[in-house]
Amino acid sequence: MAETVGSLVDKLSIIELKIYHMREQAERPDAAPEFVERCNGRLEVMRMQRDDLAQELSTLLTDIASGRVVPKVYRQFKMYNDPQYRQPAS
């Protein structure tokens, strides 16, 4: 998994905003029926993407909680504080 928790949450937030705005546009009283139909098709695709990302986020959080995956931030912190990785002072 190359994704981080933060990047998945960001992607989910963006998709949720897109869904919200698309739904608002489709519900306008002056929207043409063809436009509403296209919006509904796009909404289905965005909802599937959202569900896939939510599943990926859930899996990542489960892996982190079980210890199978160590978050990148923790790895960087550990390497920074590990004497074998520190550069000698000049």
Side-chain angles (χ1 to χ4, degrees), residues 30-49:
D30 61 340
E34 301 85 26
F35 178 75
V36 172
E37 188 176 324
R38 274 185 302 180
C39 285
N40 288 335
R42 290 181 186 156
L43 281 169
E44 282 302 313
V45 171
M46 285 191 280
R47 287 181 181 126
M48 288 188 324
Q49 290 173 340

Side-chain angles (χ1 to χ4, degrees), residues 16-57:
E16 283 294 331
L17 282 172
K18 286 181 178 181
I19 289 171
Y20 172 78
H21 288 295
M22 183 73 65
R23 196 175 60 238
E24 291 261 319
Q25 291 295 320
E27 292 175 355
R28 289 178 54 175
D30 61 340
E34 301 85 26
F35 178 75
V36 172
E37 188 176 324
R38 274 185 302 180
C39 285
N40 288 335
R42 290 181 186 156
L43 281 169
E44 282 302 313
V45 171
M46 285 191 280
R47 287 181 181 126
M48 288 188 324
Q49 290 173 340
R50 178 195 60 196
D51 295 343
D52 291 343
L53 283 171
Q55 179 61 40
E56 189 175 340
L57 178 63

Side-chain angles (χ1 to χ4, degrees), residues 1 5 8 54-71:
M1 284 181 211
V5 172
L8 287 172
Q55 179 61 40
E56 189 175 340
L57 178 63
S58 175
T59 302
L60 179 60
L61 291 175
T62 302
D63 289 347
I64 289 171
S66 68
R68 288 189 295 263
V69 173
V70 178

Side-chain angles (χ1 to χ4, degrees), residues 71-90:
K72 182 179 180 182
V73 173
Y74 178 74
R75 287 193 310 265
Q76 289 172 342
F77 174 78
K78 187 175 177 183
M79 285 179 61
Y80 178 77
N81 289 310
D82 193 341
Q84 76 180 16
Y85 291 108
R86 285 188 150 180
Q87 298 291 331
S90 305

